[in-house]
Amino acid sequence: MKISVELTFSPLQDDYEDHIIAFIKKLRTSGLTFLENPLSTQVYGEYDEVMKVLNTEIKTAFELMDKGLLYLKIVKSDRSAYEPHF
C-alpha cells in the first residue's frame, strides 16, 4: 500500500536548526522519495518501508534532543505527482 507522509519537526530548544538539518539529512539517505519545503517534508512510498524509516529516524531524533514535537499526517495514496489544477 502506497502512502504519503507530511512531517513538521519542531525541536523546542535553542539549537533547533541543527536537529532539523540532521533529521532531514537522514531522510535524504533513506532511498525514499521525498520533497522538502520551508514548512515541512513529505515522504512517499510503500507503507512498511516508509514507517520503518520514520520509526528509526524519529526515535533517533528524539533521543538527541531535550524537548520537541513532530506533526505527522499520513494519506493512503502516493501524492508525489500532485500538481494544483488552478
Side-chain angles (χ1 to χ4, degrees):
M1 154 182 35
K2 298 275 188 181
I3 62 170
S4 302
V5 180
E6 181 179 58
L7 305 157
T8 303
F9 183 47
S10 303
L12 302 175
Q13 53 195 59
D14 291 339
D15 62 343
Y16 66 92
E17 288 179 337
D18 296 336
H19 294 280
I20 293 169
I21 290 167
F23 183 70
I24 291 173
K25 283 183 174 180
K26 287 288 202 157
L27 292 179
R28 287 178 181 167
T29 64
S30 69
L32 297 172
T33 300
F34 67 95
L35 173 66
E36 299 170 27
N37 67 57
L39 298 176
S40 66
T41 301
Q42 291 86 40
V43 181
Y44 309 95
E46 289 293 330
Y47 179 90
D48 290 334
E49 185 179 356
V50 171
M51 297 308 287
K52 179 180 177 183
V53 168
L54 292 180
N55 185 50
T56 300
E57 298 311 330
I58 291 168
K59 182 177 181 180
T60 299
F62 280 176
E63 288 173 341
L64 294 173
M65 68 178 150
D66 296 326
K67 298 176 191 154
L69 56 95
L70 179 82
Y71 295 100
L72 179 98
K73 298 177 190 175
I74 302 174
V75 177
K76 184 186 170 193
S77 69
D78 184 341
R79 305 294 294 161
S80 61
Y82 171 78
E83 290 189 29
H85 300 286
F86 52 89

